[in-house]
Amino acid sequence: MEFDSHLPIYMQIMHVIKNRIVSGQLRGGDKLPSVRDLAKEFKVNPNTIQRCYQELERENLVFTQRGLGTFVTEDLEAIKTLKTKMAHELTQNFIEQMKKLGFAPQEIIKIISDRINRRHDDE
Amino acid sequence: MEFDSHLPIYMQIMHVIKNRIVSGQLRGGDKLPSVRDLAKEFKVNPNTIQRCYQELERENLVFTQRGLGTFVTEDLEAIKTLKTKMAHELTQNFIEQMKKLGFAPQEIIKIISDRINRRHDDE
Amino acid sequence: MEFDSHLPIYMQIMHVIKNRIVSGQLRGGDKLPSVRDLAKEFKVNPNTIQRCYQELERENLVFTQRGLGTFVTEDLEAIKTLKTKMAHELTQNFIEQMKKLGFAPQEIIKIISDRINRRHDDE
Amino acid sequence: MEFDSHLPIYMQIMHVIKNRIVSGQLRGGDKLPSVRDLAKEFKVNPNTIQRCYQELERENLVFTQRGLGTFVTEDLEAIKTLKTKMAHELTQNFIEQMKKLGFAPQEIIKIISDRINRRHDDE
DNA sequence: GTGGTCTAGACCACA
DNA sequence: GTGGTCTAGACCACA
């Protein structure tokens, strides 16, 4: 068993930014908020954001230009790949959890379909 | 933003036990491990398990008999209700996340179906 | 504050026997159960019952005859006095508690009357 | 027989606090003492008070605000209901005890009335 | 400062 | 052996 699964904050923020990129809120070439601004928005230490941007750059999802700021990669293929990968992880995880609850694969599809095809999306 | 969503350990363990009940690993009337044994298994303090069992009892998923132990409820209807509720939460959460990635409802169904209908379940 | 108000068991048993005497279950001159029998009935050590009978004798509510056993006093006046005293204590205590809850004296009378005059005694 | 009916300390303290709420010493919205302060006042471990406040919250008699403290519910109806319930329990219990002493219902009313209508409240 | 969780360890009643 | 309570004391997030 693994308790205390507590992801480091910089990784949590990376995830948020990846979400924004993948969903198109941030597009290829867009400027990311400055380290200081994002630190304020998330109420964390600027170092945390700094680390976050560094790691995103290492994954080639953003690039920095000295004196100008940090920008979303213009490699749209990379973004698409990321989107696929993130979707895959979510899906994998979801299916695994549902199986743990004792649902068979076909049941899972049915539950999802039913949930999505309801006329009014509650919430 | 919400970082550090660290669920208390006793709740995480409640979740594990609910999974076992809902999936049928633990059936109505079955004895749960003793507080001390489960504490060893999960490497936590017995008080933490105690708290966990108490909360599960409060939710009418288990009942205790002084001097004998803690047992899974025999109210099968309650177990079924729990299973439905847990499935609903997982599904809700999954859909929400996928939407954040920018997927449309019908795409989500397709992704799940494709994933499930692949001939060989990888891993 | 006083927690752990835990009366000694011999006193609790004295109380039970006084109840039996005062209510007429045990009458003046009746033989009390033997120390051994009562110890069994209450699942306590015979010494505890011994102590209990001793104290009751000191209060002149019972008397012992060597070789014969322990008997309820034949002083009916003493029994009546005991009954009055016990009733007084209960009543005093009850009123005090009700006042702590914020009820005025006249309200207390009303509540008791209403409760007693209900057609069917529930329970 | 039931000896040693020793209520857990946290329940005894719950009872004290309920008394304070019901009698109006603590009113809707009032802040309760902090866990640590009450622990000192009652000379018990803070965990015991913690448990107490938690149970009171579960009964919707208090609510907590993270970082601020614990407060009496503002649902005055709930307080009134509690008062009625506590009075009922006391009364029920009192009548039962008096019956055990051998008093008839009408006698009980008379004893209470006499006790209350005495000109000077002794003690 | 405030409540919430957790550990380590003791002692209890019940069976 | 089983759960239930309690102490002593630590550390945490939130304000």
Side-chain angles (χ1 to χ4, degrees):
Chain A
M1 278 315 298
E2 230 341 85
F3 301 115
D4 243 305
S5 60
H6 186 38
L7 267 191
I9 292 178
Y10 81 88
M11 284 193 189
Q12 297 182 46
I13 296 176
M14 282 174 72
H15 199 261
V16 171
I17 293 173
K18 285 179 178 177
N19 259 305
R20 292 184 182 175
I21 294 175
V22 148
S23 66
Q25 288 169 60
L26 286 170
R27 310 185 107 93
D30 281 0
K31 186 175 177 304
L32 294 175
S34 79
V35 165
R36 279 187 192 76
D37 285 354
L38 202 58
K40 265 182 217 152
E41 183 187 340
F42 287 159
K43 291 178 187 162
V44 297
N45 191 293
N47 289 335
T48 306
I49 303 297
Q50 187 57 45
R51 171 82 186 272
C52 171
Y53 280 9
Q54 242 167 37
E55 299 290 334
L56 287 170
E57 181 154 22
R58 195 182 319 247
E59 297 185 17
N60 292 316
L61 296 170
V62 308
F63 62 94
T64 64
Q65 289 191 280
R66 283 292 292 272
L68 288 179
T70 304
F71 301 83
V72 178
T73 179
E74 284 168 328
D75 174 356
L76 302 187
E77 205 49 49
I79 295 178
K80 207 173 150 195
T81 302
L82 175 64
K83 182 170 175 175
T84 304
K85 181 171 150 268
M86 290 177 79
H88 185 265
E89 274 172 16
L90 278 178
T91 306
Q92 187 78 0
N93 190 49
F94 170 66
I95 290 173
E96 193 181 299
Q97 302 263 44
M98 289 296 277
K99 281 185 176 169
K100 267 194 201 152
L101 290 193
F103 290 98
Q106 297 309 320
E107 286 179 288
I108 299 176
I109 297 183
K110 184 163 184 327
I111 288 169
I112 277 279
S113 309
D114 287 356
R115 172 69 191 68
I116 283 181
N117 292 325
R118 269 189 295 173
R119 287 160 307 286
H120 306 299
D121 234 10
D122 50 7
E123 177 264 355
Chain B
M1 270 323 287
E2 269 287 306
F3 301 115
D4 239 301
S5 63
H6 181 45
L7 263 192
I9 295 177
Y10 79 89
M11 283 191 190
Q12 297 181 45
I13 296 177
M14 282 173 74
H15 201 263
V16 170
I17 292 173
K18 284 178 178 177
N19 260 306
R20 292 184 183 176
I21 293 175
V22 149
S23 67
Q25 289 169 59
L26 286 169
R27 311 186 106 92
D30 280 1
K31 188 177 172 307
L32 296 174
S34 82
V35 165
R36 284 163 184 79
D37 286 353
L38 202 59
K40 266 180 218 150
E41 181 186 338
F42 286 162
K43 291 178 188 160
V44 297
N45 189 282
N47 282 335
T48 303
I49 303 296
Q50 178 65 33
R51 173 82 186 267
C52 171
Y53 279 11
Q54 233 164 39
E55 300 290 336
L56 288 169
E57 179 155 27
R58 186 130 23 198
E59 297 185 14
N60 291 317
L61 296 172
V62 309
F63 61 95
T64 67
Q65 289 190 278
R66 272 301 281 277
L68 290 178
T70 303
F71 302 83
V72 177
T73 181
E74 284 167 328
D75 175 356
L76 302 185
E77 205 48 51
I79 294 178
K80 208 173 147 195
T81 302
L82 175 65
K83 184 170 175 173
T84 305
K85 181 170 149 270
M86 290 177 80
H88 184 265
E89 276 173 15
L90 279 178
T91 307
Q92 189 78 0
N93 190 50
F94 170 67
I95 290 174
E96 194 180 297
Q97 303 263 47
M98 289 297 277
K99 282 185 176 169
K100 266 194 202 153
L101 290 192
F103 290 97
Q106 296 310 319
E107 287 181 286
I108 299 175
I109 297 182
K110 185 160 183 328
I111 289 169
I112 276 279
S113 308
D114 288 355
R115 171 69 190 68
I116 282 180
N117 292 326
R118 270 186 291 171
R119 285 160 311 284
H120 304 302
D121 234 10
D122 51 5
E123 179 253 7
Chain C
M1 280 315 296
E2 232 336 90
F3 301 114
D4 242 305
S5 60
H6 187 38
L7 267 191
I9 291 179
Y10 80 89
M11 282 192 189
Q12 297 182 46
I13 296 176
M14 281 172 73
H15 199 262
V16 171
I17 292 173
K18 284 177 178 176
N19 259 306
R20 291 184 182 176
I21 293 174
V22 148
S23 67
Q25 288 170 60
L26 286 169
R27 312 185 105 94
D30 280 1
K31 187 176 175 302
L32 294 173
S34 79
V35 165
R36 280 185 191 77
D37 285 355
L38 202 58
K40 265 181 217 153
E41 182 186 340
F42 286 160
K43 291 178 188 161
V44 297
N45 192 291
N47 288 334
T48 304
I49 303 298
Q50 187 58 44
R51 172 81 186 271
C52 171
Y53 280 9
Q54 244 168 33
E55 300 290 335
L56 287 170
E57 182 154 22
R58 195 179 321 244
E59 297 185 16
N60 292 315
L61 296 170
V62 308
F63 61 94
T64 64
Q65 289 191 284
R66 284 292 293 271
L68 288 179
T70 304
F71 300 84
V72 177
T73 181
E74 284 169 326
D75 175 355
L76 302 187
E77 206 49 47
I79 295 178
K80 208 173 148 195
T81 302
L82 175 64
K83 182 169 176 174
T84 304
K85 181 171 150 268
M86 291 177 79
H88 184 265
E89 274 173 17
L90 279 178
T91 306
Q92 188 77 0
N93 189 50
F94 170 66
I95 291 174
E96 193 181 299
Q97 303 262 47
M98 289 296 276
K99 281 184 176 170
K100 266 194 204 153
L101 291 194
F103 289 98
Q106 297 309 320
E107 287 179 287
I108 299 176
I109 296 182
K110 184 164 185 325
I111 288 168
I112 277 281
S113 309
D114 288 355
R115 173 69 191 70
I116 282 182
N117 292 325
R118 270 187 291 172
R119 286 161 309 285
H120 305 301
D121 235 9
D122 50 8
E123 175 262 359
Chain D
M1 271 324 287
E2 268 287 306
F3 301 116
D4 239 302
S5 63
H6 181 46
L7 264 192
I9 295 176
Y10 79 89
M11 283 192 191
Q12 296 181 45
I13 296 176
M14 282 173 75
H15 200 262
V16 170
I17 292 172
K18 284 178 177 176
N19 261 305
R20 293 184 182 175
I21 293 175
V22 147
S23 67
Q25 288 170 60
L26 286 171
R27 311 186 107 92
D30 280 1
K31 188 176 173 306
L32 295 174
S34 82
V35 165
R36 285 163 182 81
D37 285 353
L38 202 58
K40 266 180 218 152
E41 182 186 339
F42 287 161
K43 290 178 188 158
V44 297
N45 189 284
N47 282 335
T48 303
I49 303 296
Q50 178 65 34
R51 172 82 186 266
C52 171
Y53 279 12
Q54 231 164 39
E55 300 290 335
L56 288 170
E57 178 154 28
R58 186 135 17 201
E59 297 186 15
N60 291 316
L61 297 172
V62 309
F63 61 95
T64 66
Q65 289 190 277
R66 271 302 279 279
L68 289 179
T70 303
F71 301 84
V72 178
T73 181
E74 283 167 329
D75 176 356
L76 302 185
E77 205 50 50
I79 294 178
K80 208 173 148 195
T81 301
L82 174 66
K83 183 169 176 173
T84 304
K85 182 171 150 270
M86 291 177 79
H88 184 265
E89 276 173 15
L90 278 179
T91 306
Q92 188 78 359
N93 190 51
F94 170 66
I95 291 173
E96 195 181 297
Q97 302 264 47
M98 289 297 276
K99 281 185 176 168
K100 266 193 203 153
L101 289 193
F103 290 98
Q106 296 310 321
E107 286 181 288
I108 299 176
I109 296 181
K110 185 164 184 325
I111 289 169
I112 277 280
S113 309
D114 288 356
R115 172 68 190 68
I116 282 181
N117 293 325
R118 269 187 293 173
R119 286 160 309 282
H120 305 300
D121 235 9
D122 51 7
E123 177 262 357

